[in-house]
Amino acid sequence: MTLLLPPEDRGHSPVTGWGRGHWEAVGEHLLAGVEGWASPGWAQYRLPGVASRNGVGSDGLEGFARTFLLAACTKTHLDRYAEGLVNGTTPGHPFAWDDITDMSQQIVEAASIAIALHETRDLLFDRLSDDEQQRVTDWLGGIRGRRTPDSNWILFRLIVETFLETVTRAGPAKEAQNETSVLSRLDDWYAGDGWYSDGSGQNFDYYNAYALHLYPLLQSRMTGAPNPYQSRLNDFLDDHQHFFAPNGSPVFQGRSLTYRFATVAPLWFGDDLPPGRIRRLASGVLKNFIEREPGALLTRGWHHPFPPMIQSYSGPASPYWASKAFLGLLLPETHPVWTATEEPAEIELHDVDRQLRGPGWRIVGTRTDGVIRLLNHGSDRAAKSPEPDPLYVRLAYSTHTSPQFTPDAVDNQITIDGSSRHHIQRITTDTSAYTDGPVHVITTTRIEGAAEVRTHEVTAPSGSVVRAGGYAIAGDSRPDTAVTGEKATTTRPDGLTSSIESREGFTTAKVRHDRGTDAFGEFSATPYLEAIHPGGTHRYTGVVRLFRATA
């Protein structure tokens, strides 16, 4: 299936060439791509691939709900979704949806359905018969009183109950009480400067974009009331705008990255960013992913299928939470985000260096090569992950690299005899520590131009092997490598280069090669340093660089 796009308009969109018509065309392409995988009667979309832990029926509902959200944004194919909605909520239908139960995936998908129904109410829900409407609201109403994880999931129930309140006027006191409880829990997780932890702990990731900021503003669209957290959203977007490289690649950090361009969803609703910059950022991200993977279906991966990065809850249709990026189409054609001339992102005008005190991060970008790096001294997801999670515990992430998905990886971390940080003890946005048995490490990152100077104060038993790695470089062929003295370098054919050099303590430089462990390519290489610890406390310093070399 070929993606048909309108001509680029470099007058109106001088950076990406893309406008509203391109978004509509991509949306149509994605909806056409899933059509052939629908069940008879359209109630489920059972896309090809291994089922999630929730089973094929739940995955089929996921396919319906997430693509229905896309259809609600494009206002197309609504007849088939209306038929699927009726059949999915009809007891006894061969592809009827399972009832909503405690902690079930149906809770997540019910929220997407509720949003889509609200945004298409006059075109779809209001045209159903009274009996059909009742079946739909009965199924959605099964969410009431259901237990959810203490995380962004609490917002799904709030969204569904708010929709039900708008169409049935049922139980306003109960729903008001639930809203107060949910918003109070959000306040508990608020870390400041626009950032939430996804539940208790240090769980900072794109769920700030996918859910924690997005659902309160979507609820406000349902009620007509102002978003109670608009100022927090604006603060978040002031940081979030710097997570996207000029080539449209987001920083690769955190779980559920298969949602891809959903990362841009809240940008459309910011009050403070220039509208031309909002469209430039959003279109750049969409264009990046679509050009790299223009096929009919979104796969479970980043630019291609990559099973190691997929969570157990992710079914074949899970990537279609990416539909949230198209919420910008709900804004009228006359809205400034569509009418304003594109403006460049800040990284295209000057280097970026920002302290993100909420999550304990620092975001650093260089204009000359467009590489953005996220330095991490505050996010670990240790409260939810029994083992160190490569998507959260690394010292750094970037727009151009992926952590290595293998237990003995060395990239962007300090390891002592295989022990690495899990519970991060935050000190500042530039310094953190961890303790693991007899091992205690304090790490400080200092920026020197385009270099990261990482200093580690290591307390460990004598004879321990200390390793510190830089960024892994990956591609379709084995990257070039070089080791000179106490410096190791790896380079991709396009000039993307990673290096690490000893400044103090390390005695050996090496390069590790892996295959099938990196989301950016089959072959990867990681430069790293090594030393034998003398016992007690000793200092090690390495200079890490990630850049794109130019001729």
Side-chain angles (χ1 to χ4, degrees):
M1 185 175 298
T2 303
L3 171 61
L4 301 176
L5 293 172
E8 291 189 350
D9 182 355
R10 293 288 173 172
H12 184 52
S13 299
V15 185
T16 69
W18 279 31
R20 187 180 178 102
H22 294 81
W23 281 83
E24 292 170 337
V26 172
E28 179 63 26
H29 175 70
L30 295 174
L31 288 168
V34 300
E35 183 174 0
W37 299 98
S39 64
W42 306 102
Q44 295 187 25
Y45 288 74
R46 296 189 172 184
L47 274 56
V50 177
S52 75
R53 69 187 182 198
N54 302 306
V56 294
S58 175
D59 291 349
L61 167 61
E62 186 174 69
F64 174 91
R66 300 187 180 200
T67 59
F68 181 26
L69 180 60
L70 176 56
C73 295
T74 62
K75 300 297 190 293
T76 58
H77 302 282
L78 294 182
D79 287 347
R80 82 187 196 202
Y81 284 96
E83 184 177 345
L85 188 72
V86 171
N87 289 329
T89 56
T90 299
H93 189 277
F95 294 95
W97 306 329
D98 289 339
D99 292 338
I100 300 173
T101 57
D102 289 344
M103 313 291 279
S104 67
Q105 185 66 27
Q106 285 85 351
I107 293 172
V108 184
E109 308 317 322
S112 291
I113 291 171
I115 295 165
L117 285 172
H118 170 76
E119 298 297 344
T120 60
R121 181 166 175 179
D122 60 332
L123 299 173
L124 196 161
F125 185 81
D126 288 348
R127 298 186 181 186
L128 300 178
S129 69
D130 289 347
D131 181 62
E132 291 168 341
Q133 289 185 1
Q134 188 64 53
R135 291 206 300 272
V136 171
T137 56
D138 283 348
W139 186 84
L140 291 171
I143 204 169
R144 290 196 172 106
R146 297 303 180 190
R147 292 186 299 111
T148 70
D150 191 31
S151 67
N152 67 87
W153 277 52
I154 65 175
L155 293 164
F156 304 146
R157 191 172 64 199
L158 176 63
I159 284 290
V160 175
E161 291 178 342
T162 300
F163 172 72
L164 291 173
E165 164 64 10
T166 65
V167 297
T168 67
R169 310 308 305 171
K174 180 179 179 181
E175 310 321 332
Q177 182 180 14
N178 179 62
E179 179 177 358
T180 300
S181 174
V182 169
L183 298 185
S184 175
R185 198 73 184 108
L186 273 184
D187 290 341
D188 293 339
W189 301 334
Y190 189 60
D193 296 335
W195 286 89
Y196 295 99
S197 172
D198 186 13
S200 299
Q202 299 181 134
N203 315 309
F204 298 100
D205 52 32
Y206 283 117
Y207 274 86
N208 274 269
Y210 301 150
L212 295 165
H213 279 292
L214 191 63
Y215 286 102
L217 72 85
L218 291 173
Q219 188 210 21
S220 73
R221 287 179 62 87
M222 289 183 177
T223 64
N227 176 11
Y229 293 134
Q230 186 66 39
S231 63
R232 290 183 184 178
L233 171 63
N234 291 336
D235 289 343
F236 168 70
L237 295 180
D238 194 42
D239 288 339
H240 188 55
Q241 64 173 316
H242 301 296
F243 278 63
F244 308 104
N247 70 359
S249 181
V251 171
F252 193 96
Q253 182 275 337
R255 66 193 177 97
S256 300
L257 290 173
T258 193
Y259 301 156
R260 296 172 173 83
F261 32 91
T263 52
V264 308
L267 286 168
W268 300 109
F269 301 95
D271 289 341
D272 292 346
L273 295 181
R277 184 187 302 167
I278 289 173
R279 191 175 78 255
R280 182 269 174 272
L281 291 169
S283 293
V285 173
L286 181 65
K287 185 177 182 180
N288 166 70
F289 282 105
I290 293 300
E291 287 184 344
R292 290 174 182 268
E293 192 178 37
L297 296 176
L298 296 178
T299 62
R300 282 179 286 187
W302 191 240
H303 297 144
H304 51 77
F306 186 63
M309 67 175 272
I310 302 306
Q311 281 71 41
S312 62
Y313 54 76
S314 296
S318 184
Y320 286 84
W321 240 31
S323 298
K324 293 181 177 183
F326 292 82
L327 290 169
L329 292 177
L330 298 178
L331 303 174
E333 295 181 17
T334 55
H335 192 282
V337 297
W338 296 117
T339 60
T341 301
E342 272 189 348
E343 297 183 27
E346 285 195 23
I347 186 63
E348 295 169 298
L349 302 174
H350 53 75
D351 290 351
V352 170
D353 187 351
R354 292 174 67 94
Q355 303 278 351
L356 280 59
R357 292 177 177 80
W361 289 340
R362 186 172 181 177
I363 195 89
V364 180
T366 46
R367 183 190 62 80
T368 53
D369 58 13
V371 175
I372 296 174
R373 292 161 286 137
L374 177 66
L375 314 184
N376 174 31
H377 289 282
S379 183
D380 56 21
R381 207 167 185 267
K384 297 180 180 291
S385 299
E387 299 295 331
D389 189 327
L391 292 166
Y392 291 87
V393 299
R394 295 294 198 260
L395 287 165
Y397 299 90
S398 88
T399 49
H400 287 64
T401 63
S402 160
Q404 300 304 282
F405 289 83
T406 180
D408 58 346
V410 296
D411 61 287
N412 277 325
Q413 55 183 331
I414 176 85
T415 65
I416 293 85
D417 279 343
S419 170
S420 61
R421 68 180 187 169
H422 183 199
H423 296 268
I424 296 175
Q425 304 161 26
R426 187 190 303 197
I427 299 173
T428 69
T429 51
D430 293 321
T431 302
S432 60
Y434 84 87
T435 301
D436 185 9
V439 174
H440 181 71
V441 181
I442 301 174
T443 298
T444 297
T445 306
R446 189 172 68 257
I447 298 299
E448 291 184 0
E452 302 164 36
V453 181
R454 301 176 185 172
T455 298
H456 314 278
E457 296 281 351
V458 176
T459 303
S462 175
S464 299
V465 178
V466 179
R467 293 188 178 95
Y471 294 85
I473 296 293
D476 295 331
S477 59
R478 186 165 170 157
D480 293 331
T481 62
V483 176
T484 306
E486 296 174 1
K487 180 179 181 179
T489 303
T490 179
T491 305
R492 208 165 60 189
D494 64 358
L496 186 65
T497 301
S498 170
S499 70
I500 188 168
E501 182 176 8
S502 176
R503 182 172 288 183
E504 179 182 14
F506 294 106
T507 57
T508 306
K510 299 181 178 181
V511 175
R512 170 176 171 147
H513 291 273
D514 287 289
R515 186 172 184 179
T517 61
D518 193 294
F520 280 77
E522 182 177 358
F523 299 91
S524 60
T526 308
Y528 69 98
L529 302 172
E530 192 172 85
I532 304 300
H533 191 68
T537 301
H538 194 66
R539 177 180 293 177
Y540 302 87
T541 300
V543 181
V544 175
R545 293 181 174 86
L546 177 67
F547 61 95
R548 186 184 297 279
T550 55

